[in-house]
PDB file of all heavy atoms in Angstrom:
ATOM      1  N   GLU A 171     165.172  56.699  43.881  1.00 78.00           N
ATOM      2  CA  GLU A 171     166.570  56.548  44.241  1.00 78.00           C
ATOM      3  C   GLU A 171     167.442  56.236  43.027  1.00 78.00           C
ATOM      4  O   GLU A 171     168.603  56.674  42.945  1.00 78.00           O
ATOM      5  CB  GLU A 171     166.687  55.430  45.292  1.00 78.00           C
ATOM      6  CG  GLU A 171     168.044  55.365  45.968  1.00 78.00           C
ATOM      7  CD  GLU A 171     168.281  56.495  46.911  1.00 78.00           C
ATOM      8  OE1 GLU A 171     167.323  57.070  47.503  1.00 78.00           O
ATOM      9  OE2 GLU A 171     169.469  56.920  47.049  1.00 78.00           O
ATOM     10  N   LEU A 172     166.889  55.473  42.076  1.00 80.00           N
ATOM     11  CA  LEU A 172     167.651  55.057  40.909  1.00 80.00           C
ATOM     12  C   LEU A 172     167.672  56.138  39.800  1.00 80.00           C
ATOM     13  O   LEU A 172     168.647  56.273  39.087  1.00 80.00           O
ATOM     14  CB  LEU A 172     167.062  53.771  40.323  1.00 80.00           C
ATOM     15  CG  LEU A 172     167.238  52.509  41.166  1.00 80.00           C
ATOM     16  CD1 LEU A 172     166.460  51.398  40.519  1.00 80.00           C
ATOM     17  CD2 LEU A 172     168.756  52.156  41.221  1.00 80.00           C
ATOM     18  N   ASN A 173     166.604  56.897  39.660  1.00 76.00           N
ATOM     19  CA  ASN A 173     166.412  57.737  38.456  1.00 76.00           C
ATOM     20  C   ASN A 173     166.290  59.222  38.756  1.00 76.00           C
ATOM     21  O   ASN A 173     166.608  60.024  37.916  1.00 76.00           O
ATOM     22  CB  ASN A 173     165.207  57.257  37.661  1.00 76.00           C
ATOM     23  CG  ASN A 173     165.372  55.843  37.125  1.00 76.00           C
ATOM     24  OD1 ASN A 173     166.013  55.614  36.145  1.00 76.00           O
ATOM     25  ND2 ASN A 173     164.770  54.915  37.852  1.00 76.00           N
ATOM     26  N   HIS A 174     165.761  59.583  39.916  1.00 79.00           N
ATOM     27  CA  HIS A 174     165.558  61.005  40.210  1.00 79.00           C
ATOM     28  C   HIS A 174     166.880  61.625  40.576  1.00 79.00           C
ATOM     29  O   HIS A 174     167.526  61.145  41.504  1.00 79.00           O
ATOM     30  CB  HIS A 174     164.521  61.152  41.330  1.00 79.00           C
ATOM     31  CG  HIS A 174     163.985  62.547  41.472  1.00 79.00           C
ATOM     32  ND1 HIS A 174     162.656  62.849  41.275  1.00 79.00           N
ATOM     33  CD2 HIS A 174     164.576  63.731  41.767  1.00 79.00           C
ATOM     34  CE1 HIS A 174     162.462  64.142  41.448  1.00 79.00           C
ATOM     35  NE2 HIS A 174     163.644  64.709  41.759  1.00 79.00           N
ATOM     36  N   PRO A 175     167.296  62.686  39.914  1.00 84.00           N
ATOM     37  CA  PRO A 175     168.642  63.295  40.227  1.00 84.00           C
ATOM     38  C   PRO A 175     168.663  63.895  41.616  1.00 84.00           C
ATOM     39  O   PRO A 175     167.698  64.471  42.118  1.00 84.00           O
ATOM     40  CB  PRO A 175     168.788  64.360  39.150  1.00 84.00           C
ATOM     41  CG  PRO A 175     167.393  64.689  38.684  1.00 84.00           C
ATOM     42  CD  PRO A 175     166.618  63.422  38.845  1.00 84.00           C
ATOM     43  N   LYS A 176     169.830  63.721  42.267  1.00 85.00           N
ATOM     44  CA  LYS A 176     170.072  64.305  43.563  1.00 85.00           C
ATOM     45  C   LYS A 176     171.011  65.504  43.462  1.00 85.00           C
ATOM     46  O   LYS A 176     171.881  65.537  42.600  1.00 85.00           O
ATOM     47  CB  LYS A 176     170.701  63.273  44.506  1.00 85.00           C
ATOM     48  CG  LYS A 176     169.708  62.355  45.171  1.00 85.00           C
ATOM     49  CD  LYS A 176     170.361  61.508  46.231  1.00 85.00           C
ATOM     50  CE  LYS A 176     169.353  60.645  47.000  1.00 85.00           C
ATOM     51  NZ  LYS A 176     169.964  59.816  48.040  1.00 85.00           N
ATOM     52  N   CYS A 177     170.819  66.465  44.315  1.00 90.00           N
ATOM     53  CA  CYS A 177     171.642  67.663  44.348  1.00 90.00           C
ATOM     54  C   CYS A 177     172.982  67.298  44.934  1.00 90.00           C
ATOM     55  O   CYS A 177     173.100  66.668  45.996  1.00 90.00           O
ATOM     56  CB  CYS A 177     170.955  68.747  45.148  1.00 90.00           C
ATOM     57  SG  CYS A 177     171.950  70.235  45.375  1.00 90.00           S
ATOM     58  N   ASP A 178     174.057  67.713  44.260  1.00 88.00           N
ATOM     59  CA  ASP A 178     175.412  67.431  44.735  1.00 88.00           C
ATOM     60  C   ASP A 178     175.822  68.376  45.886  1.00 88.00           C
ATOM     61  O   ASP A 178     176.877  68.171  46.504  1.00 88.00           O
ATOM     62  CB  ASP A 178     176.427  67.585  43.613  1.00 88.00           C
ATOM     63  CG  ASP A 178     176.292  66.494  42.583  1.00 88.00           C
ATOM     64  OD1 ASP A 178     176.011  65.330  42.976  1.00 88.00           O
ATOM     65  OD2 ASP A 178     176.458  66.765  41.372  1.00 88.00           O
ATOM     66  N   VAL A 179     174.984  69.332  46.204  1.00 90.00           N
ATOM     67  CA  VAL A 179     175.288  70.273  47.270  1.00 90.00           C
ATOM     68  C   VAL A 179     174.573  69.897  48.569  1.00 90.00           C
ATOM     69  O   VAL A 179     175.206  69.627  49.565  1.00 90.00           O
ATOM     70  CB  VAL A 179     174.922  71.726  46.864  1.00 90.00           C
ATOM     71  CG1 VAL A 179     175.089  72.689  48.022  1.00 90.00           C
ATOM     72  CG2 VAL A 179     175.760  72.158  45.661  1.00 90.00           C
ATOM     73  N   CYS A 180     173.245  69.793  48.492  1.00 90.00           N
ATOM     74  CA  CYS A 180     172.464  69.479  49.716  1.00 90.00           C
ATOM     75  C   CYS A 180     172.155  67.998  49.850  1.00 90.00           C
ATOM     76  O   CYS A 180     171.605  67.579  50.878  1.00 90.00           O
ATOM     77  CB  CYS A 180     171.166  70.286  49.696  1.00 90.00           C
ATOM     78  SG  CYS A 180     170.017  69.872  48.378  1.00 90.00           S
ATOM     79  N   LYS A 181     172.452  67.195  48.828  1.00 87.00           N
ATOM     80  CA  LYS A 181     172.305  65.739  48.816  1.00 87.00           C
ATOM     81  C   LYS A 181     170.826  65.298  48.817  1.00 87.00           C
ATOM     82  O   LYS A 181     170.521  64.113  48.954  1.00 87.00           O
ATOM     83  CB  LYS A 181     172.996  65.116  50.030  1.00 87.00           C
ATOM     84  CG  LYS A 181     174.443  65.505  50.237  1.00 87.00           C
ATOM     85  CD  LYS A 181     175.273  65.179  49.041  1.00 87.00           C
ATOM     86  CE  LYS A 181     176.746  65.561  49.286  1.00 87.00           C
ATOM     87  NZ  LYS A 181     177.582  65.326  48.079  1.00 87.00           N
ATOM     88  N   ASN A 182     169.895  66.216  48.622  1.00 87.00           N
ATOM     89  CA  ASN A 182     168.493  65.874  48.537  1.00 87.00           C
ATOM     90  C   ASN A 182     168.077  65.680  47.076  1.00 87.00           C
ATOM     91  O   ASN A 182     168.764  66.109  46.155  1.00 87.00           O
ATOM     92  CB  ASN A 182     167.633  66.971  49.184  1.00 87.00           C
ATOM     93  CG  ASN A 182     167.923  67.132  50.678  1.00 87.00           C
ATOM     94  OD1 ASN A 182     168.134  66.139  51.373  1.00 87.00           O
ATOM     95  ND2 ASN A 182     167.940  68.362  51.139  1.00 87.00           N
TER      96      ASN A 182
END
Side-chain angles (χ1 to χ4, degrees):
E171 192 70 31
L172 290 172
N173 297 279
H174 194 116
K176 277 188 175 182
C177 175
D178 292 323
V179 174
C180 63
K181 309 302 182 183
N182 297 321

